[in-house]
């Protein structure tokens, strides 16, 4: 009898349909029943694992059957529910990033804090509907392939004694990594009833992924890297990206069609696609956009689509830039919400330091300094939008010309804050981590370096490297906060507001609420 391995996960949802993703223990027919109406899909297989995504056209509580046997909801568990979006789109959008998959016992709670997403999963069943998020955006580092938990390390040791001994090596291990991340009971229920949209960051593949051309060249000399990155991108396609697509987009997806048509196992099809996605990023698009009422959500790949040519470094390559420009200039949207795993607006001092470091790494002060600067870039993660200055300036000018509110959502940096552009309705909202806090020492170091020393020396270093001033000024208006957290953007309030929540034990508590005063409501 087939069993449910991961899921069900409620993924794409709009006004008329919803998509439910599952992984099963063997090939089978998957049925989702909502209000007496049954929808079905057959599993497909890659690398010995079996998956299905079932599209339904109604809302309400639902059950999942595998081969005719009911496997969801689990005994003594609240029912899972599909809530289709209204014509105005979601009222409350929850977002965050950086969540480690370690146990929830006392030892790990002391070292990693409380998992805020898990706490939400425990409290949400008893909350009134007006408190429920309508959409959950996961902005990167959903899994840590380079920092496995003790349980994951045991799994690795049980099947091989080869390098990398303390990192993920292949698809099988990625599958286990996702299983551990998403099957804790509270997390599993939350993901079964709150729609999710995702984008990756470096730890989903490996720390500093695509930082620079030097990083890529160094990794190409590592014997196990090629197989690892192909496995990681393939696993990302299955576990994260597939559910980002609408039913119509999936119906046109060539990779999914070939995988489903493959006899037995579609691993070869997926691996060929994943390897090409790594070698020729412009051939694949991980970014996607959705119209949510008058708000256009753009989830932007700021990791895999980078152009790393030292002569013309770009956060996103020309093909991706053309797509982004089209999304921002299309008619219909009165406000934009842009998800980028790495922040667009950093504290001003560290922004200038990243500008300076990029210029030096590209040879502004000679080859020797360039080598030192590249080492510094990788050592302290100087690889945000500011470290791709041309892209930062191009996007700044594009946003300035829109004349519409823009809300950037990001994570990555392991603290949360709000930044506001001077004289423009452009905000940067950062929420990180969900569960992976900095130590007290690193918190203090970040405050001193990013909000203290950097503010004093960043501009001077930037001027010394003859770097032009940014197109507009901005400042940090709220934060930083270093707690584990998730944030909820309320699109139906006047003015638009955002709330950061943390958790103690199983209780969720508010950190702060910030009103985005110049971003007037559009409904």
């Amino acid at each position: 009898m087939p069993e449910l391995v991961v899921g069900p996960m409620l993924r794409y949802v709009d006004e008329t349909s919803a998509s439910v993703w599952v992984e099963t223990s063997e090939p089978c027919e998957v049925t989702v029943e909502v209000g007496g109406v049954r929808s079905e899909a057959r599993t497909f297989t890659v690398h010995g694992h079996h998956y299905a995504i079932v599209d339904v056209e109604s809302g309400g509580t639902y059950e999942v059957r595998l081969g005719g046997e009911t496997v969801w909801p689990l005994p003594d568990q609240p029912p899972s529910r599909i809530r289709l979006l209204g014509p105005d789109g979601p009222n409350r959008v929850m977002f965050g990033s950086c969540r480690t998959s370690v146990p929830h016992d006392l030892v790990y709670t002391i070292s990693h804090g409380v998992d805020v997403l898990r706490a939400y999963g425990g409290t949400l069943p008893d909350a009134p509907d007006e408190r429920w998020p309508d959409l959950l955006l996961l902005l990167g580092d959903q899994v840590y392939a380079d920092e496995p938990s003790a349980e994951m390390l045991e799994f690795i040791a049980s099947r091989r004694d080869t390098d990398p001994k303390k990192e993920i090596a292949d698809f099988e291990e990625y599958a286990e990594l996702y299983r551990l991340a998403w099957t804790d009971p509270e997390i599993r229920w939350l993901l079964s009833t709150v729609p999710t949209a995702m984008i990756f960051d470096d730890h989903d593949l490996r720390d500093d992924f695509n930082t620079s051309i030097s990083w890529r060249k160094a990794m190409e000399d590592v014997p196990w890297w090629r197989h690892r990155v192909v496995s990681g991108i393939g696993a990302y396609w299955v576990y994260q990206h597939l559910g980002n697509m609408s039913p119509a987009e999936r119906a046109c997806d060539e990779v999914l069609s070939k995988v489903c048509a493959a006899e037995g196992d579609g691993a070869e099809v997926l691996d060929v696609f994943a390897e090409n996605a790594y070698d020729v990023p412009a051939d694949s698009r991980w970014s996607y956009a959705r119209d949510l009422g008058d708000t256009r959500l753009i989830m932007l790949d700021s990791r895999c689509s980078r152009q790393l040519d030292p002569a013309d470094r770009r956060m996103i390559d020309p093909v991706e830039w053309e797509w982004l420009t089209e999304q921002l200039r299309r008619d219909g949207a009165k406000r934009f919400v842009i998800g980028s795993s790495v922040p667009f607006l950093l504290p001003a001092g560290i922004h200038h330091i990243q500008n300076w470091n990029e210029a030096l790494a590209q040879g502004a002060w000679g080859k020797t300094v360039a080598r030192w600067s590249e080492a510094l870039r990788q050592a302290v993660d100087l690889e945000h939008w500011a470290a791709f200055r041309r892209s930062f300036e191009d996007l700044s000018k594009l946003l300035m010309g829109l004349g519409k509110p823009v809300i950037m959502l990001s994570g990555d940096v392991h603290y949360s804050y709000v930044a506001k552009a001077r004289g423009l309705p452009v905000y940067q909202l950062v929420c990180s981590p969900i569960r992976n806090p900095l130590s007290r020492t690193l918190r203090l170091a970040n405050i001193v370096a990013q909000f203290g020393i950097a503010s004093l020396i960043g501009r001077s270093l930037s001027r010394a490297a003859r770097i032009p001033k940014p197109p507009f000024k901005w400042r940090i208006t709220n934060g930083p906060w270093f707690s584990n957290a998730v944030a909820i953007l309320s699109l139906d309030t006047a003015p638009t507001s955002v709330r950061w929540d943390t958790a103690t034990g199983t209780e969720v508590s508010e950190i702060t609420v910030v009103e985005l005063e110049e971003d007037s409501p559009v409904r």
Side-chain angles (χ1 to χ4, degrees):
M1 172 182 166
E3 298 178 352
L4 200 57
V5 177
V6 182
M9 295 177 67
L10 184 58
R11 297 301 315 272
Y12 181 91
V13 171
D14 59 21
E15 296 177 50
T16 61
S17 67
S19 302
V20 178
W21 179 100
V22 297
E23 179 183 353
T24 65
S25 62
E26 58 187 77
C28 62
E29 195 77 23
V30 180
T31 302
V32 175
E33 181 172 333
V34 186
V37 179
R38 298 180 180 181
S39 302
E40 298 177 337
R42 186 73 187 175
T43 57
F44 63 88
T45 302
V46 291
H47 290 285
H49 290 259
H50 317 287
Y51 308 92
I53 189 160
V54 183
D55 298 318
V56 302
E57 296 181 349
S58 59
T61 58
Y62 71 91
E63 295 182 352
V64 177
R65 298 187 179 92
L66 303 182
E69 297 292 328
T70 301
V71 296
W72 189 268
L74 300 177
D76 302 319
Q77 184 184 56
S80 296
R81 183 154 56 110
I82 294 171
R83 293 170 298 139
L84 300 180
L85 296 179
D88 290 334
N91 292 328
R92 293 166 300 281
V93 177
M94 179 185 285
F95 65 96
S97 77
C98 307
R99 178 178 173 268
T100 53
S101 308
V102 295
H104 304 283
D105 57 24
L106 179 61
V107 173
Y108 280 101
T109 299
I110 291 173
S111 62
H112 288 71
V114 174
D115 185 336
V116 188
L117 210 57
R118 179 175 182 261
Y120 252 100
T123 60
L124 207 58
D126 299 323
D129 278 6
E130 59 267 21
R131 297 284 293 180
W132 282 41
D134 300 304
L135 179 63
L136 170 61
L137 303 182
L138 296 173
L139 295 169
D141 296 345
Q142 278 70 263
V143 292
Y144 279 72
D146 52 339
E147 299 176 14
S149 66
E151 187 175 358
M152 189 66 221
L153 289 173
E154 289 179 6
F155 178 81
I156 292 171
S158 71
R159 60 188 301 268
R160 62 179 175 85
D161 187 26
T162 56
D163 289 332
K165 295 180 181 178
K166 295 186 177 181
E167 295 189 28
I168 304 304
D170 57 21
F171 191 96
E172 184 69 26
E173 291 171 11
Y174 264 105
E176 179 67 8
L177 188 66
Y178 280 105
R179 187 191 69 80
L180 291 174
W182 289 345
T183 55
D184 181 88
E186 291 84 358
I187 290 291
R188 194 173 193 178
W189 179 85
L190 179 73
L191 297 178
S192 76
T193 204
V194 176
T196 50
M198 309 179 189
I199 200 73
F200 52 10
D201 201 24
D202 54 345
H203 289 284
D204 293 272
L205 295 168
R206 195 173 197 265
D207 188 27
D208 295 333
F209 178 75
N210 268 0
T211 295
S212 64
I213 194 67
S214 298
W215 185 91
R216 280 183 70 112
K217 288 179 178 178
M219 291 306 299
E220 286 296 340
D221 291 335
V222 177
W224 48 262
W225 171 245
R226 171 65 55 160
H227 185 58
R228 153 74 170 276
V229 73
V230 169
S231 299
I233 291 175
Y236 175 78
W237 181 88
V238 172
Y239 285 89
Q240 297 194 49
H241 184 67
L242 190 61
N244 292 333
M245 293 187 281
S246 69
E249 289 168 333
R250 274 187 279 108
C252 299
D253 188 79
E254 184 178 351
V255 180
L256 180 59
S257 297
K258 289 182 177 180
V259 165
C260 291
E263 294 186 10
D265 195 305
E268 183 178 355
V269 172
L270 185 60
D271 289 351
V272 168
F273 161 76
E275 186 162 26
N276 187 70
Y278 176 64
D279 290 335
V280 191
D283 284 356
S284 305
R285 173 163 295 123
W286 305 109
S287 302
Y288 53 97
R290 301 180 185 177
D291 283 328
L292 308 172
D294 287 332
T295 299
R296 179 161 299 144
L297 170 67
I298 301 172
M299 292 287 274
L300 186 62
D301 167 27
S302 49
R303 183 59 66 175
C304 205
S305 65
R306 295 178 176 185
Q307 178 171 291
L308 301 176
D309 180 356
D312 188 23
R313 278 169 44 89
R314 302 280 176 169
M315 178 60 81
I316 57 177
D317 61 41
V319 175
E320 199 79 357
W321 175 256
E322 183 178 357
W323 176 85
L324 174 61
T325 301
E326 178 186 344
Q327 297 303 319
L328 290 171
R329 290 178 173 167
R330 276 178 51 202
D331 293 335
K334 294 184 179 179
R335 167 176 51 199
F336 297 96
V337 174
I338 303 176
S340 168
S341 63
V342 293
F344 177 63
L345 298 179
L346 291 164
I350 196 64
H351 172 93
H352 291 302
I353 287 176
Q354 293 208 19
N355 278 181
W356 167 78
N357 174 262
E358 179 191 35
L360 268 57
Q362 291 178 293
W365 290 0
K367 292 183 179 180
T368 300
V369 174
R371 289 193 295 271
W372 295 342
S373 298
E374 178 61 40
L376 178 64
R377 169 165 40 205
Q378 296 185 32
V380 295
D381 294 337
L382 302 179
E383 42 108 22
H384 301 92
W385 281 85
F388 294 77
R389 184 178 58 82
R390 293 180 181 87
S391 290
F392 177 88
E393 292 181 354
D394 287 347
L395 183 54
S396 296
K397 293 172 184 176
L398 182 57
L399 299 184
M400 291 169 67
L402 291 176
K404 299 177 182 179
V406 178
I407 302 172
M408 303 286 295
L409 308 181
S410 301
D412 180 70
V413 293
H414 294 259
Y415 55 85
S416 302
Y417 65 89
V418 179
K420 171 68 174 64
R422 181 179 296 179
L424 296 169
V426 176
Y427 282 88
Q428 171 75 73
L429 310 180
V430 176
C431 184
S432 167
I434 295 173
R435 193 190 191 199
N436 193 12
L438 297 174
S439 67
R440 291 184 182 274
T441 300
L442 287 178
R443 293 183 191 190
L444 178 60
N446 270 271
I447 291 174
V448 172
Q450 302 215 36
F451 295 86
I453 294 175
S455 298
L456 296 174
I457 66 175
R459 191 177 300 276
S460 297
L461 290 173
S462 184
R463 287 175 179 172
R466 297 182 178 180
I467 297 170
K469 293 180 180 180
F472 59 79
K473 294 183 179 180
W474 66 94
R475 66 184 182 92
I476 306 299
T477 60
N478 304 84
W481 309 289
F482 289 91
S483 304
N484 287 346
V486 294
I488 298 179
L489 177 65
S490 295
L491 296 173
D492 61 337
T493 58
T496 300
S497 64
V498 59
R499 185 183 80 238
W500 278 262
D501 289 340
T502 188
T504 303
T506 59
E507 297 298 318
V508 176
S509 59
E510 179 184 296
I511 298 174
T512 191
V513 176
V514 177
E515 293 183 344
L516 311 185
E517 296 181 357
E518 292 189 26
D519 179 13
S520 57
V522 297
R523 298 177 184 173

